[in-house]
Amino acid sequence: MSKINVAIIGGTGYTGVELIRLLSRHPHVTISHLTSRSEKGRVVSEIFPSLLGVCDVVYSDMTDDVMDEIGKACDVVFFATPHGVAMSHTPRLIAQRVKVIDLGADFRLQDLGEFGKWYGLEHTCPDVLAEAVYGLPEIHREKIKSAKVIANPGCYPTTAILGLKPVIDTQNSADKPLILPNIIIDAKSGVSGAGRNAKMNLLFSELSDNFSAYGVAGHRHTPEISQGVHAFLGSKFTQKVRFVPHLVPMIRGMFSTIHLTLTDDGKALNWQEIFEKVYQNEPFVDVLAKGVLPDTRSVRASNRLKIAVHQDDDALTVLVVQDNLVKGASGQAVQNMNILCGFDEMCGLGVDFGGCAVVP
Ligand SMILES: NC(=O)c1ccc[n+]([C@@H]2O[C@H](COP(=O)([O-])OP(=O)(O)OC[C@H]3O[C@@H](n4cnc5c(N)ncnc54)[C@H](OP(=O)(O)O)[C@@H]3O)[C@@H](O)[C@H]2O)c1
């Protein structure tokens, strides 16, 4: 099979460098272009020595000429940039027949009002947004195959939506409510979730030996979780989702604990069996054996998401772990590219690199 050319826009950030790590070893991919405004002219391994001998591409600035060249040379372009960047370039790229995978938020929320409210920007290409596919393979695999633009999901929403999917699927085919109205998602992320830039609260002396909540009054991922569970999954699912994220003093990893209260009809079901059945054919979702609890180290640098289910009378607790930079971002983006391009879905993602991660 011939190789495809890909570009990574924002190739010096945490998710961009994870993409380099994964795509450099992908048998069907050549990384032809990397952009960075601050590191233009420098070779990747000068900045990330662990990529010496793995990737020797030189960073380019994001000029119009470079973007035009990328449009002509590339089959797939990844945007690993802050929100607002991808939507400025995507219409031109898709006109050049390039497929776009945005790791940012520009194409995630279908409701323009919600996008404006949470991201403080007016959407510049609502027609492209309307056709974009939310790239969560476990729910949209068929749509991803023919997408022009893929909105790679947010990290917290990936854990929340996949943690709730078996419950919602079961509710959809039930006559009576199985769970009570309130669902609580208590989530924790490592610091790399905030990106590779200088912020006071991310200083070592502020963050280490510390543990804090944020976004309690409202977080951008709440409408995305809501869209996932109500619009994409839940025809009969009206329950409200409450989401509180926390920052924990570790570099990478994410742990979401979802608390649900079962009705008498819900209590009568065997949720361990339901979760196992829903995910039995999913290559990157593991349902742990009854009584086994997940931890973030077990998914470090891997594209696997692990779920444990604990049922105790009317309490159903779903525990989900992933690496925020891999299944929560770059690994999922590669999984989406594999589906889009007709490669084996696990290609380039089957091996867990553990200690070889670029971001330690
Ligand atoms: N970190 C995570 O765990 C995670 C998980 C899921 C999704 N995401 C999303 O993925 C995207 C990237 O996240 P990240 O954590 O990798 O961010 P990051 O570490 O801050 O990196 C951002 C990258 O984008 C470039 N950039 C910044 N502003 C730009 C602009 N205006 N135009 C062009 N390039 C620009 C930066 O390089 P230069 O400034 O040198 O150009 C850098 O390479 C974000 O939208 C984020 O929300 C992140």
Side-chain angles (χ1 to χ4, degrees):
M1 193 181 273
S2 62
K3 290 191 170 194
I4 60 164
N5 284 329
V6 307
I8 302 167
I9 310 299
T12 51
Y14 285 151
T15 60
V17 177
E18 279 297 297
L19 279 171
I20 301 174
R21 172 176 79 88
L22 295 167
L23 293 170
S24 301
R25 295 173 170 93
H26 196 293
H28 305 312
V29 170
T30 300
I31 301 175
S32 62
H33 294 77
L34 295 173
T35 77
S36 163
R37 300 158 313 156
S38 58
E39 304 293 355
K40 60 184 178 246
R42 296 182 76 191
V43 69
V44 171
S45 55
E46 249 181 75
I47 308 163
F48 303 104
S50 64
L51 290 170
L52 184 65
V54 176
C55 180
D56 56 5
V57 177
V58 173
Y59 287 108
S60 307
D61 200 357
M62 266 186 83
T63 60
D64 282 349
D65 285 351
V66 167
M67 290 309 292
D68 191 48
E69 192 184 304
I70 286 172
K72 287 178 183 148
C74 292
D75 302 286
V76 176
V77 172
F78 294 89
F79 281 89
T81 46
H83 56 273
V85 180
M87 67 181 177
S88 315
H89 298 275
T90 296
R92 185 169 161 196
L93 287 169
I94 58 175
Q96 290 174 288
R97 298 188 181 280
V98 178
K99 306 272 187 176
V100 170
I101 301 178
D102 179 24
L103 280 75
D106 291 4
F107 300 102
R108 290 186 199 152
L109 294 178
Q110 282 296 329
D111 184 320
L112 286 171
E114 289 283 292
F115 178 79
K117 174 178 160 193
W118 290 97
Y119 291 95
L121 293 175
E122 196 174 328
H123 209 288
T124 54
C125 50
D127 49 333
V128 178
L129 170 68
E131 285 187 31
V133 174
Y134 188 76
L136 195 52
E138 292 76 9
I139 60 172
H140 282 160
R141 188 168 278 114
E142 282 310 307
K143 288 184 181 170
I144 291 166
K145 288 179 184 169
S146 55
K148 289 181 185 162
V149 177
I150 293 177
N152 212 58
C155 44
Y156 286 121
T158 297
T159 59
I161 298 167
L162 294 183
L164 285 168
K165 176 178 168 23
V167 179
I168 300 169
D169 286 356
T170 310
Q171 181 66 78
N172 284 341
S173 53
D175 296 331
K176 294 181 182 163
L178 303 175
I179 45 174
L180 294 183
N182 281 333
I183 294 172
I184 296 166
I185 304 171
D186 179 19
K188 284 102 190 163
S189 174
V191 191
S192 58
R196 188 169 172 260
N197 48 59
K199 286 184 196 145
M200 183 71 82
N201 69 325
L202 303 182
L203 290 172
F204 181 77
S205 46
E206 303 287 327
L207 182 89
S208 61
D209 195 21
N210 200 2
F211 178 9
S212 52
Y214 63 104
V216 179
H219 186 280
R220 288 168 171 168
H221 284 176
T222 305
E224 190 182 331
I225 294 169
S226 210
Q227 172 182 262
V229 298
H230 296 119
F232 297 154
L233 285 176
S235 58
K236 289 192 193 167
F237 186 79
T238 52
Q239 286 84 345
K240 188 169 174 155
V241 176
R242 297 177 195 283
F243 165 65
V244 178
H246 299 77
L247 191 61
V248 291
M250 61 184 185
I251 296 169
R252 52 198 294 163
M254 178 163 281
F255 197 135
S256 294
T257 303
I258 307 174
H259 299 276
L260 305 119
T261 307
L262 298 167
T263 62
D264 285 342
D265 289 293
K267 275 160 62 177
L269 300 176
N270 182 332
W271 290 97
Q272 175 73 31
E273 277 180 13
I274 290 169
F275 272 69
E276 284 176 8
K277 197 168 169 205
V278 166
Y279 287 123
Q280 62 188 342
N281 296 320
E282 282 301 339
F284 292 112
V285 182
D286 298 327
V287 177
L288 300 178
K290 193 170 177 185
V292 178
L293 298 178
D295 60 11
T296 54
R297 193 173 296 168
S298 65
V299 289
R300 187 177 173 79
S302 145
N303 197 48
R304 305 197 83 83
L305 175 141
K306 294 190 192 291
I307 306 182
V309 195
H310 182 76
Q311 187 170 354
D312 180 9
D313 191 35
D314 66 348
L316 182 68
T317 311
V318 181
L319 306 109
V320 188
V321 296
Q322 69 174 5
D323 188 322
N324 56 296
L325 295 177
V326 191
K327 182 61 175 166
S330 309
Q332 183 135 268
V334 173
Q335 190 181 350
N336 278 318
M337 178 202 73
N338 285 339
I339 298 168
L340 185 67
C341 297
F343 306 143
D344 184 308
E345 194 167 325
M346 296 186 79
C347 204
L349 295 168
V351 179
D352 299 346
F353 290 97
C356 299
V358 176
V359 179

